[in-house]
Amino acid sequence: MSARRHVIIGAGLAGALLALLLARRGHRVDVFERRPDQRLRGYEGGRSINLALARRGLSVLEGAGLGDAVLRRAVAMRGRQVHPLGAEGSFLPYGRSDAECIWSVHRGRLNHLLLDAAEAAGARVHFHHRLGLVDFDARRAEIIDDRDRRMRWIDFDALLGADGAGSALRNAMQGHADLHPETAPLDHGYKELEIPPLPGGGFRIERDALHIWPRGGYMLIALPNTEGTFTATLFLPHKGRMPNFEDIETAAQARAFFQHTFPDALALMPAFEEAWISHPTSSLATLRLRHWHVDSRAVLMGDAAHAMVPFHGQGMNCAFEDVAALDRLLALHGDRAEAFAAFEAERKPNAEAIQAMALENYVEMRDSVDDPAWRLQRALELQLAERHPGRFVPRYSMVSFTRTPYAVAFERGRWQRTLLADATRGLGALEEVDLGALDARITAELAPLPVEWLETAR
Ligand code: FAD
Ligand code: 8R5
């Protein structure tokens, strides 16, 4: 194989979308994907794994012409359904109206849609093909066909790394750029469980919500699937303070733990033991790099560049924003090294901001929703959001319902949280807050968000 070309490593969410956008611009695009083509197994093959799609991810998909196709099979999650232990549950809306929701989408189906569109646009996707070594000086990459272990060298113009958290391209780039990778493992892991539909079909719990069972220090969550199932995920420390994964050695111990801690959720899982045993306990980490590219020859995006913990549901959304930015900057800069440098300069501060906010959101999800001080601040936050639309926008809303750059959302969120904490300190109810004084501070010190970040597209 010869010729100058864009070579994408990985046909996951970022790689498939990038292939589509670059092929549409007329580039010659080859994608190498380690796994088999999941489309051959049919749409419903494999386990139902769902992801939360937020406004910024949806906007990128709409820009690619795929918004309607994605939403057709998505379930709207309009708020948190909180399940306390031994008390009445409550529903906390995410936004100010039903239009402000996040969407639960089927990972396999979304990936299939992106791959179909990429191939229709002319991209070539080579499944079962894994990146091995890279000779950056000769601009040649070793590609291994996993079916027969045969290896061949291909020439590339640029290598675009969308090969996920365990990126092979990242490893290959190490000798050629000061990547300085730092992995910060989370001391909590997760295990996926399943809530099946009711025997006659239908959802066992509220469909249009993201369910949380906060237990202080750990939690269970569940996201709806279109088929009436929910994918539930237990987040727990690996070891140390009880309860933890290491000390739950058998399925019987797991049942006892659930019976004690999540009895209502356990009642929704008829095949609990089977799932507990067959699903692994997985790890979570934040990955930070000093640089994301090697001059004009290689660049990383998505999880390969900035894997994050899942607690804001933004990994895919951020990866889609990366792809849109890279596509735009490649078209803007004649010089590819300049485009890659501009991409890193634009996206790295934003990736770092969402990584930090994702870590913080774990604490909020598992602990704060039970805390009266937090609830008071949240009530005031909603009140101020009503009084200052487009200006005082809750951080969760900026992240999930707008395209405000993550770094800006982080910064404004910090300012807003300080204001909320100061204004409610020592108070017991919303009526005691001096709203007039807050209004004055907000209009004086907080600029309105630019409309282009607020537009819900279409
Ligand atoms: P991936 O989608 O992981 O794709 C990487 C691809 O590269 C894979 O197809 C892989 O097979 C391939 N590959 C790897 N190595 C090689 C190689 N050497 N050669 C060739 N190909 C290779 N994000 C959200 O926004 N919302 C959510 O609700 C959410 N929920 C999640 C739930 C789970 C269980 C998990 C694990 C993640 C979740 N995320 C969520 C995060 C999201 O899945 C990732 O951030 C996103 O998939 C990143 O896209 P990517 O293309 O960078 O990586
Ligand atoms: N990812 C999510 C949120 C925020 C919800 C809120 C949180 C599972 C491995 Cl933990 C988590 C969120 O603040 O009310 N939106 O979307 C998705 C999440 O976890 C996903 C399903 C997950 C990686 C396992």
Side-chain angles (χ1 to χ4, degrees):
M1 280 195 219
S2 62
R4 294 160 63 81
R5 58 182 183 181
H6 287 92
V7 171
I8 299 176
I9 309 301
L13 296 173
L17 179 64
L18 183 65
L20 166 62
L21 299 185
L22 293 183
R24 281 211 183 137
R25 285 195 193 269
H27 293 290
R28 181 177 166 190
V29 179
D30 284 280
V31 190
F32 293 95
E33 165 57 50
R34 179 172 67 179
R35 291 178 311 184
D37 187 348
Q38 305 291 327
R39 289 171 299 182
L40 305 176
R41 303 170 56 192
Y43 280 100
E44 311 308 333
R47 272 164 57 202
S48 255
I49 298 294
N50 44 14
L51 304 153
L53 176 68
R55 172 33 64 189
R56 59 186 72 232
L58 181 57
S59 285
V60 174
L61 293 171
E62 283 172 352
L66 299 173
D68 289 335
V70 171
L71 288 189
R72 215 172 290 139
R73 301 294 301 272
V75 181
M77 298 185 286
R78 305 187 195 287
R80 291 177 178 167
Q81 182 71 46
V82 182
H83 304 262
L85 182 58
E88 194 60 15
S90 57
F91 179 76
L92 308 173
Y94 280 132
R96 295 191 300 137
S97 75
D98 273 2
E100 293 187 333
C101 62
I102 51 177
W103 301 91
S104 181
V105 298
H106 187 280
R107 179 196 291 269
R109 215 179 282 134
L110 177 58
N111 212 158
H112 300 171
L113 187 75
L114 291 169
L115 286 170
D116 285 347
E119 286 182 338
R124 296 192 304 189
V125 189
H126 311 272
F127 293 94
H128 301 281
H129 284 78
R130 174 166 55 87
L131 178 72
L133 304 173
V134 179
D135 181 343
F136 280 98
D137 296 324
R139 290 192 189 234
R140 294 193 317 158
E142 182 193 51
I143 299 287
I144 300 138
D145 185 335
D146 272 333
R147 289 165 298 190
D148 56 11
R149 299 280 170 85
R150 282 210 358 223
M151 164 307 231
R152 64 188 162 141
W153 289 91
I154 58 148
D155 296 323
F156 64 85
D157 204 26
L159 282 180
L160 309 170
D163 51 348
S167 174
L169 179 55
R170 188 177 68 229
N171 292 338
M173 286 163 68
Q174 293 260 36
H176 295 265
D178 175 25
L179 299 190
H180 201 77
E182 282 183 43
T183 302
L186 192 72
D187 45 15
H188 293 222
Y190 71 93
K191 190 187 276 287
E192 283 163 352
L193 300 164
E194 273 157 29
I195 298 174
L198 289 165
F203 294 80
R204 283 180 197 250
I205 44 178
E206 171 62 38
R207 184 191 65 168
D208 297 338
L210 190 154
H211 294 260
I212 311 179
W213 289 259
R215 292 297 181 264
Y218 61 96
M219 66 180 184
L220 177 74
I221 66 165
L223 274 68
N225 296 301
T226 26
E227 297 75 23
T229 62
F230 287 83
T231 305
T233 312
L234 172 67
F235 294 94
L236 212 59
H238 285 295
K239 54 185 183 191
R241 206 181 129 192
M242 299 273 252
N244 64 63
F245 279 116
E246 206 179 76
D247 287 315
I248 304 176
E249 290 173 22
T250 64
Q253 286 172 350
R255 170 172 284 278
F257 163 56
F258 264 67
Q259 192 60 59
H260 187 254
T261 318
F262 305 109
D264 54 332
L266 180 63
L268 305 169
M269 303 176 185
F272 175 80
E273 278 82 0
E274 202 182 311
W276 186 273
I277 292 164
S278 61
H279 300 171
T281 303
S282 304
S283 296
L284 300 164
T286 303
L287 167 79
R288 296 181 184 86
L289 302 181
R290 200 169 280 170
H291 291 291
W292 290 4
H293 76 109
V294 174
D295 48 60
S296 66
R297 289 175 285 182
V299 70
L300 299 171
M301 73 205 77
D303 283 6
H306 52 65
M308 65 189 73
V309 296
F311 306 107
H312 225 305
Q314 286 290 320
M316 162 184 63
N317 289 281
C318 183
F320 283 167
E321 275 194 335
D322 286 353
V323 169
L326 184 58
D327 172 57
R328 168 170 47 79
L329 293 166
L330 280 170
L332 188 69
H333 294 269
D335 182 303
R336 204 176 42 247
E338 264 176 35
F340 287 176
F343 170 72
E344 178 184 311
E346 176 179 323
R347 293 303 299 165
K348 205 160 101 67
N350 289 309
E352 284 163 3
I354 188 57
Q355 287 179 319
M357 291 190 283
L359 280 161
E360 290 179 5
N361 209 47
Y362 188 25
V363 180
E364 174 165 325
M365 289 181 79
R366 73 190 192 201
D367 303 338
S368 321
V369 287
D370 267 348
D371 172 6
W374 179 85
R375 281 184 172 258
L376 181 58
Q377 287 184 35
R378 175 78 185 144
L380 177 58
E381 183 175 51
L382 292 176
Q383 178 88 248
L384 294 174
E386 290 290 346
R387 296 165 80 91
H388 304 275
R391 192 192 289 266
F392 192 101
V393 182
R395 189 176 91 177
Y396 182 88
S397 299
M398 283 192 280
V399 169
S400 300
F401 311 131
T402 81
R403 293 185 289 153
T404 307
Y406 291 124
V408 176
F410 192 34
E411 192 54 46
R412 292 174 71 110
R414 207 195 317 265
W415 187 89
Q416 293 178 171
R417 282 176 183 202
T418 306
L419 179 117
L420 292 172
D422 290 349
T424 54
R425 191 162 296 120
L427 304 186
L430 204 50
E431 295 69 44
E432 302 164 40
V433 176
D434 181 355
L435 284 173
L438 294 181
D439 287 344
R441 265 197 76 190
I442 289 164
T443 32
E445 296 180 47
L446 200 60
L449 286 168
V451 285
E452 64 263 30
W453 295 346
L454 297 174
E455 270 168 10
T456 47
R458 282 155 184 282

